[in-house]
Amino acid sequence: MRKTYWSLTTKLVIPAFIALIAGCATQQAVSPDGLDADLVSDSTGTQARINQQLSAVDALLDLNQIDEAELLLDGIVFDQMNTGQQTRYALAQAHVALANGDGQQALIWLSGEYAYLFDGLPLDDQITIGLDRATANEYAGKPLTAARERIFLAPLLDDGMAQLNHDQIWFNLQLVPVEQIQLLANQESSPDLNGWLNLALVGHTQSDDLYQLLAGIEHWQKQHRSHPAAKNLPASLQVLREIAASQPTHVGVLLPLSGPLANAGVAIRDGLLTAWYQAQQNGQVVPELSFFDTASTDNVVNLYKQAITRGAQAIIGPLAKSKVLQISQADELPIPVLALNYADTQSQKRNNFYQFGLAPEDEAIQIAHDIWQEGVRNVLVLAPNSDWGIRVSDAFIDTWQRQGGLIANKSLFNGSRPDLYLGSIKSALNINTSELRHNQLQRLLGSQLVYETRRRQDIDAVFMLAFPAQARQLKPILDYQRASNLPIIATSSVYSGVNDKARDQDIEGIRFVETPWRLSSNDEKAQVNDVFPDSLNNHASLVALGLDAFKIYSRLPQMSIFSDVRINGNTGTLAMSELGKVQRTLDWAVINKGVAMKANTSDFVAIP
């Protein structure tokens, strides 16, 4: 939740403002023309008071005192204002909403029934409002609408703002599904928008291959010579040629190839080798790979130094969390490291240190962001009473509450005792309370009552953390306990990754996030199946991690500088956080007739 911090200035502003309003209200009204002095005074006084209130709101917004500005706005009656005041009021409400990260609310004031208020404003104000409208659409999860707004404004911006605007257009279009972009590119007649859509198609379809991406962009520039972006590419694309010219020629790979983590290490190695061979077959210049067994030493920093001595210019690994922590605390890191796990203690970005893993907490955080944009506000959380269940559910709850969402209940079930699931769910839905009221009434009246249990009605959706066998029992219980109309949202743990119509009928309708690797077939998966079938069958997700690690190691400098870089990987769409952590955005899927199918959040998340 947002915290309020009172500065000395604010403490002085609000009391002074209240005193000013009170003083105005006690002045004696005089009308020299013999008109009704009270009416003239009331009208003049009301307008003056509103102007003072709006000025105070502007001052509070300048001080970033959002809660106080919102409080003052709530005390102003819209219908008592003239048109100029209503314009100021609408813009202030939009700025409060944007400060709170609430794009939907901001759009009510910027694009809804109040948009007419801005029609007569000067061009500079119109541009500012247009940029605010684009930002609101971005916050509201409408990247295509935001991109359209920015493309429309682009010719009106000066050089410095134009580059920032180009970068944001590119960022937005990377978030639009490629199928939607393809459809629009075939329909759109505006040259500027069509050019951007075709550039976005190059980014979507070639993002995982640096050299193909570079060639595709150069081809696009030749075809769209007069397009604004052809003359001034987004900043993250301008550096591609430099990145391609400075690729490492030797990569060291630090993995556990023996010991208790050997199977995991071998699966990642097999993914890396598959990506390496495929790149070579595509005519790319590939680096030499040297593998080092991290199980052979307790000091992985020495192994890192050994790899450098043997000529490595970049490192992929290690895998074990304890060894990732060792690397993160090394005195110096002269060459970049892409660790395949997370050092939980890291609080700031370190040069040449990057982290990439398959943490389930990332999925929970994505779900919290996505369903919030779809209008869900009150969530019931179901999770196993285990370290994993508590850790991942807490990641969801922390993100959800910081956005302003409510947790109706958090119910921890005993994962090893399916016979107790019913009691956990009845308690979470307040069914027990409903049954207790029924029993009390029957005893009081001394007769049998016709009765239908009722669940609590303040829940928009259920966030379920469960493994397949657990989910196949929890979902039917929820349906039976009057919750069949509630959307059930889950992490990828709910799905086995194997089509099993008969058993997955019991999780029909559950929506979950999942990696592209498990939702569809591709050439890489077929190649892994031919060469490394055991790794694919037993550790498919780790094979995908190895494939993606090879795809992104060469793009780390670009990803660390530019937040608009998106690489379509097997484990999700990959970007980088400010701390140097690779963030995965997974696809949405739904169980439909017992089969996992790709879906969009807007297809199914709705408040009942």
Side-chain angles (χ1 to χ4, degrees), residues 208-209 267-287 289 316 517 523-525 527-528 531-532 543-553 570:
D208 60 344
D209 187 322
I268 294 171
R269 180 203 64 186
D270 293 346
L272 284 164
L273 290 174
T274 300
W276 187 92
Y277 282 118
Q278 189 172 61
Q280 187 181 56
Q281 289 171 355
N282 291 337
Q284 296 179 26
V285 177
V286 294
L289 297 181
I316 296 175
W517 178 253
D523 292 340
E524 288 176 319
K525 187 180 288 187
Q527 193 168 359
V528 173
V531 182
F532 306 113
V543 172
L545 179 64
L547 286 162
D548 284 355
F550 186 83
K551 287 180 180 180
I552 68 172
Y553 82 89
N570 291 289

Side-chain angles (χ1 to χ4, degrees), residues 21-208:
I21 295 301
C24 291
T26 60
Q27 291 176 357
Q28 180 68 38
V30 178
S31 175
D33 298 324
L35 299 175
D36 189 326
D38 289 338
L39 290 176
V40 172
S41 178
D42 286 348
S43 176
T44 303
T46 297
Q47 298 304 307
R49 174 173 51 80
I50 291 173
N51 283 332
Q52 291 160 355
Q53 287 174 308
L54 291 172
S55 295
V57 168
D58 291 339
L60 289 168
L61 289 174
D62 288 342
L63 293 168
N64 200 34
Q65 297 294 341
I66 308 305
D67 287 336
E68 293 71 38
E70 191 171 9
L71 182 64
L72 282 181
L73 286 170
D74 289 344
I76 304 175
V77 180
F78 187 80
D79 291 338
Q80 291 181 354
M81 293 182 278
N82 60 39
T83 302
Q85 292 169 336
Q86 289 176 343
T87 302
R88 292 177 65 190
Y89 180 89
L91 289 174
Q93 286 282 17
H95 291 154
V96 166
L98 289 175
N100 289 331
D102 192 341
Q104 296 285 11
Q105 183 65 25
L107 289 172
I108 290 175
W109 295 101
L110 296 173
S111 298
E113 61 179 300
Y114 305 104
Y116 73 92
L117 294 169
F118 315 130
D119 290 344
L121 295 180
L123 179 60
D124 286 349
D125 291 341
Q126 296 273 11
I127 291 172
T128 300
I129 292 168
L131 292 173
D132 284 344
R133 192 180 294 118
T135 302
N137 278 295
E138 288 155 3
Y139 286 174
K142 301 175 181 178
L144 181 58
T145 306
R148 285 180 181 273
E149 184 80 37
R150 290 184 178 279
I151 291 168
F152 173 76
L153 293 170
L156 305 174
L157 303 177
D158 58 34
D159 290 343
M161 184 62 73
Q163 181 62 60
L164 293 173
N165 195 56
H166 274 194
D167 293 347
Q168 194 61 42
I169 292 169
W170 180 244
F171 180 90
N172 289 330
L173 291 176
Q174 299 308 293
L175 302 178
V176 181
V178 65
E179 299 85 2
Q180 189 176 357
I181 291 179
Q182 287 171 329
L183 180 63
L184 287 171
N186 293 329
Q187 299 173 345
E188 186 55 51
S189 58
S190 166
D192 282 359
L193 179 54
N194 186 268
W196 275 109
L197 292 171
N198 280 283
L199 180 60
L201 281 176
V202 174
H204 273 283
T205 58
Q206 309 294 340
S207 69
D208 60 344

Side-chain angles (χ1 to χ4, degrees), residues 206-214 240 243-244 247 554-555:
Q206 309 294 340
S207 69
D208 60 344
D209 187 322
L210 175 60
Y211 297 97
Q212 287 186 16
L213 177 60
L214 183 59
L240 285 178
I243 291 173
Q247 290 294 288
S554 62
R555 305 281 293 278

Side-chain angles (χ1 to χ4, degrees), residues 240-258:
L240 285 178
R241 185 175 296 280
E242 180 182 346
I243 291 173
S246 58
Q247 290 294 288
T249 59
H250 189 169
V251 175
V253 184
L254 312 184
L255 289 173
L257 301 176
S258 61

Side-chain angles (χ1 to χ4, degrees), residues 180-475:
Q180 189 176 357
I181 291 179
Q182 287 171 329
L183 180 63
L184 287 171
N186 293 329
Q187 299 173 345
E188 186 55 51
S189 58
S190 166
D192 282 359
L193 179 54
N194 186 268
W196 275 109
L197 292 171
N198 280 283
L199 180 60
L201 281 176
V202 174
H204 273 283
T205 58
Q206 309 294 340
S207 69
D208 60 344
D209 187 322
L210 175 60
Y211 297 97
Q212 287 186 16
L213 177 60
L214 183 59
I217 290 169
E218 291 175 346
H219 180 69
W220 178 87
Q221 285 180 297
K222 292 176 182 177
Q223 287 188 318
H224 300 81
R225 294 181 186 275
S226 61
H227 192 277
K231 304 171 186 175
N232 194 15
L233 282 171
S236 63
L237 300 183
Q238 294 178 21
V239 301
L240 285 178
R241 185 175 296 280
E242 180 182 346
I243 291 173
S246 58
Q247 290 294 288
T249 59
H250 189 169
V251 175
V253 184
L254 312 184
L255 289 173
L257 301 176
S258 61
L261 294 178
N263 290 336
V266 168
I268 294 171
R269 180 203 64 186
D270 293 346
L272 284 164
L273 290 174
T274 300
W276 187 92
Y277 282 118
Q278 189 172 61
Q280 187 181 56
Q281 289 171 355
N282 291 337
Q284 296 179 26
V285 177
V286 294
E288 177 185 350
L289 297 181
S290 295
F291 290 88
F292 299 83
D293 184 4
T294 57
S296 65
T297 179
D298 291 330
N299 190 335
V300 75
V301 175
N302 286 340
L303 210 58
Y304 168 83
K305 294 176 180 178
Q306 182 182 337
I308 295 174
T309 301
R310 290 178 51 178
Q313 298 166 327
I315 298 293
I316 296 175
L319 174 63
K321 187 178 287 288
S322 61
K323 294 186 176 177
V324 173
L325 183 60
Q326 284 183 35
I327 287 286
S328 72
Q329 296 173 343
D331 292 337
E332 57 179 355
L333 295 174
I335 65 173
V337 177
L338 178 61
L340 299 180
N341 210 325
Y342 298 102
D344 293 335
T345 59
Q346 187 191 15
S347 59
Q348 59 184 7
K349 183 177 179 180
R350 179 169 185 191
N351 187 44
N352 275 341
F353 180 64
Y354 308 96
Q355 300 168 85
F356 178 30
L358 302 178
E361 293 92 332
D362 295 342
E363 300 180 23
I365 292 169
Q366 178 189 336
I367 290 171
H369 289 313
D370 287 356
I371 66 174
W372 173 266
Q373 296 296 352
E374 295 301 324
V376 176
R377 292 295 180 266
N378 206 344
V379 176
L380 167 65
V381 176
L382 290 178
N385 190 9
S386 63
D387 289 343
W388 175 83
I390 293 170
R391 187 179 75 249
V392 180
S393 62
D394 282 351
F396 172 85
I397 291 170
D398 180 60
T399 304
W400 189 249
Q401 291 180 329
R402 280 190 285 107
Q403 293 176 141
L406 300 174
I407 299 298
N409 199 334
K410 177 182 178 180
S411 179
L412 298 176
F413 59 86
N414 188 327
S416 61
R417 291 286 305 276
D419 56 309
L420 300 180
Y421 290 177
L422 176 60
S424 297
I425 290 175
K426 289 176 73 172
S427 177
L429 294 172
N430 282 357
I431 299 291
N432 289 342
T433 304
S434 178
E435 292 175 340
L436 179 61
R437 284 197 303 269
H438 166 248
N439 294 333
Q440 288 174 338
L441 279 172
Q442 280 198 152
R443 286 196 300 268
L444 181 64
L445 298 174
S447 61
Q448 292 291 324
L449 298 176
V450 177
Y451 168 73
E452 181 177 307
T453 57
R454 287 176 56 84
R455 66 167 176 83
R456 60 188 301 171
Q457 298 298 307
D458 60 342
I459 301 171
D460 299 332
V462 177
F463 174 65
M464 176 192 290
L465 272 177
F467 295 107
Q470 296 167 339
R472 291 172 186 140
Q473 297 184 67
L474 291 167
K475 174 65 165 61

